[in-house]
Amino acid sequence: FCAKNYRFFFIYICFFSVIISITTNFFEYDGVLLTFVRAFGFIISFGYAIKFLDKELTFQYYKKIVFFSITFFFLQHLVYFSTKIVLSGLIPFLPNYYDSTDALHLLSDTDKSIRFASFFIEPSYFAQYIIPYLVIILWEKNTNYRYYQVGILIVTLFLSQSGTGIFLLISVVFMSVVLLLKRLSAIKKLLLASALLIIVPLFAVLVLMTSAGRQLYERNIEINPDKENVTSGFIRIYRGYYLFNELSPFNKLVGVGQGNLRNLIENKSSEEVKFMFYDEIYVNMFQQILITSGLIGVILFLIAHFKFYLLCNNLGKVLLFTLFILMFLDAIYYTPIMLLYLVFAILNLKSNFKKI
């Protein structure tokens, strides 16, 4: 019931990964069990989406959630700037991503920042959730108030001050332009390219002149590759590659097995690499596939992803390209965010899903 292209990847990580885990010294029982439970739930959800979801109905429900979240996001800003009262969207009794406790401790820290995130834990997650809606209204035919909605979404992304959100916005625009150029004549391509060369730098300058733009810029220059002045942003983005570099040639090829990342970091890595994970243990999705499934797993995943891309219409292509970029920015492996992008891509295949 899952797409044939991804089936080879899932078979590899579910069976060969177990063998690798058992026959090497990376095996961690709890981590492996939890990872496979998450993977199984993800595959079930993926299969259900392929077989039962209705495109229009799914989009309508998603649209309502997006606009409800955006409305509350602007309400947070309005209340704060008019009364200096922080209106948190976190629900106290629900568990959160960071630990198994409730969200009360996060509520107490909210007033330290005005980077609101609607009902999400942080702006990055909020931005990742609304980006697919931007793609849909850009490419879906007969969308009412298309340009007003695009404007609202872009303003929302900049107000969130999420670096991830801006990277994804740039990815959406880039891929949309590339696909659009294929439809145009040579003269129109030249005119569009010339217009973009003027509009994009001008827009960037205007954004950086605003307080939100300056704050966003200051957050993103944290990703500094200078080893003599390593920042937290650099560590979060690149530390997985340092971890991969310490693996043996065999494990670089086949990985250390699903669910063994924590054991690898805490017990098998050098002190220098271990220090990079002093406050949290996670790597982005690409690094997680690379470390746990090796170069073989990465190749299988990218082949499946590319074949999936070729079968989608332009809307689906932009979504899958954006997901590809997001792989290098955040830890979304087997998460609802990853599923969200894949589901809407599935709903925008050129032909019947059975041909995947």
Side-chain angles (χ1 to χ4, degrees):
F1 52 78
C2 80
K4 186 170 66 174
N5 291 336
Y6 286 105
R7 188 178 301 159
F8 294 108
F9 173 71
F10 285 133
I11 290 173
Y12 175 78
I13 65 173
C14 288
F15 294 100
F16 191 70
S17 181
V18 172
I19 298 174
I20 293 298
S21 296
I22 295 175
T23 57
T24 63
N25 58 353
F26 296 109
F27 186 75
E28 181 187 8
Y29 176 78
D30 292 342
V32 171
L33 180 62
L34 178 61
T35 299
F36 275 95
V37 168
R38 291 179 61 191
F40 184 73
F42 183 90
I43 294 171
I44 292 293
S45 302
F46 194 43
Y48 177 87
I50 293 174
K51 195 166 185 179
F52 297 110
L53 282 186
D54 176 81
K55 179 178 178 179
E56 295 301 323
L57 186 61
T58 303
F59 174 66
Q60 289 305 317
Y61 279 117
Y62 174 57
K63 176 181 178 180
K64 290 177 182 178
I65 296 174
V66 167
F67 269 88
F68 184 59
S69 301
I70 290 176
T71 300
F72 185 74
F73 175 78
F74 280 101
L75 180 62
Q76 286 178 308
H77 282 80
L78 178 63
V79 170
Y80 180 80
F81 287 112
S82 59
T83 66
K84 297 300 179 183
I85 296 175
V86 174
L87 187 62
S88 177
L90 296 176
I91 303 174
F93 56 83
L94 292 180
N96 62 78
Y97 177 81
Y98 296 108
D99 53 46
S100 59
T101 62
D102 60 40
L104 284 173
H105 73 288
L106 292 175
L107 288 174
S108 64
D109 291 337
T110 305
D111 59 354
K112 296 179 182 177
S113 171
I114 57 171
R115 294 179 64 237
F116 294 111
S118 188
F119 299 104
F120 296 80
I121 291 177
E122 62 179 59
S124 173
Y125 299 150
F126 177 46
Q128 291 171 32
Y129 186 79
I130 66 175
I131 281 288
Y133 185 76
L134 173 63
V135 178
I136 291 170
I137 60 175
L138 279 174
W139 286 97
E140 193 68 48
K141 296 179 180 179
N142 303 319
T143 301
N144 296 326
Y145 306 106
R146 181 195 307 271
Y147 298 110
Y148 291 105
Q149 293 188 64
V150 169
I152 291 172
L153 287 166
I154 291 176
V155 170
T156 300
L157 289 168
F158 276 98
L159 284 178
S160 73
Q161 299 176 45
S162 166
T164 299
I166 300 305
F167 273 114
L168 296 183
L169 175 61
I170 293 171
S171 302
V172 170
V173 173
F174 171 79
M175 196 63 204
S176 297
V177 170
V178 169
L179 294 173
L180 183 62
L181 286 174
K182 294 181 178 180
R183 299 180 175 182
L184 302 178
S185 63
I187 295 177
K188 289 182 178 180
K189 288 180 181 178
L190 181 62
L191 291 174
L192 179 59
S194 301
L196 289 174
L197 287 175
I198 298 173
I199 294 173
V200 172
L202 180 61
F203 179 73
V205 171
L206 292 175
V207 169
L208 290 175
M209 290 174 63
T210 66
S211 59
R214 287 193 297 271
Q215 291 176 15
L216 180 62
Y217 172 75
E218 289 169 0
R219 283 181 53 79
N220 282 281
I221 59 175
E222 286 186 354
I223 305 175
N224 183 358
D226 183 4
K227 289 186 177 180
E228 296 180 358
N229 186 28
V230 175
T231 63
S232 61
F234 172 85
I235 289 174
R236 288 193 300 271
I237 295 296
Y238 292 101
R239 61 188 174 186
Y241 300 116
Y242 287 91
L243 188 62
F244 177 76
N245 189 54
E246 292 193 342
L247 297 178
S248 68
F250 175 74
N251 288 116
K252 285 179 180 178
L253 182 64
V254 301
V256 299
Q258 299 294 303
N260 297 317
L261 184 62
R262 178 179 292 273
N263 184 36
L264 172 65
I265 293 169
E266 294 182 343
N267 302 314
K268 309 299 179 183
S269 62
S270 66
E271 291 300 320
E272 180 182 4
V273 169
K274 190 181 299 182
F275 177 75
M276 295 183 181
F277 297 87
Y278 69 96
D279 59 340
E280 56 200 355
I281 294 181
Y282 82 89
V283 294
N284 63 46
M285 177 179 166
F286 179 80
Q287 292 168 352
Q288 188 167 354
I289 296 175
L290 180 64
I291 294 168
T292 61
S293 304
L295 294 172
I296 292 177
V298 168
I299 292 171
L300 289 175
F301 180 85
L302 292 180
I303 289 174
H305 199 71
F306 181 66
K307 288 183 176 180
F308 191 3
Y309 170 89
L310 294 177
L311 290 170
C312 289
N313 60 19
N314 285 342
L315 194 162
K317 282 184 169 66
V318 177
L319 281 173
L320 290 179
F321 177 78
T322 308
L323 176 62
F324 176 75
I325 298 299
L326 184 54
M327 283 174 53
F328 296 89
L329 301 176
D330 210 340
I332 60 166
Y333 200 30
Y334 296 140
T335 65
I337 288 293
M338 179 183 175
L339 187 63
L340 176 70
Y341 284 73
L342 288 177
V343 164
F344 277 113
I346 289 168
L347 296 175
N348 286 279
L349 291 172
K350 293 178 182 177
S351 55
N352 191 283
F353 75 89
K354 291 181 180 179
K355 295 182 180 180
I356 301 179

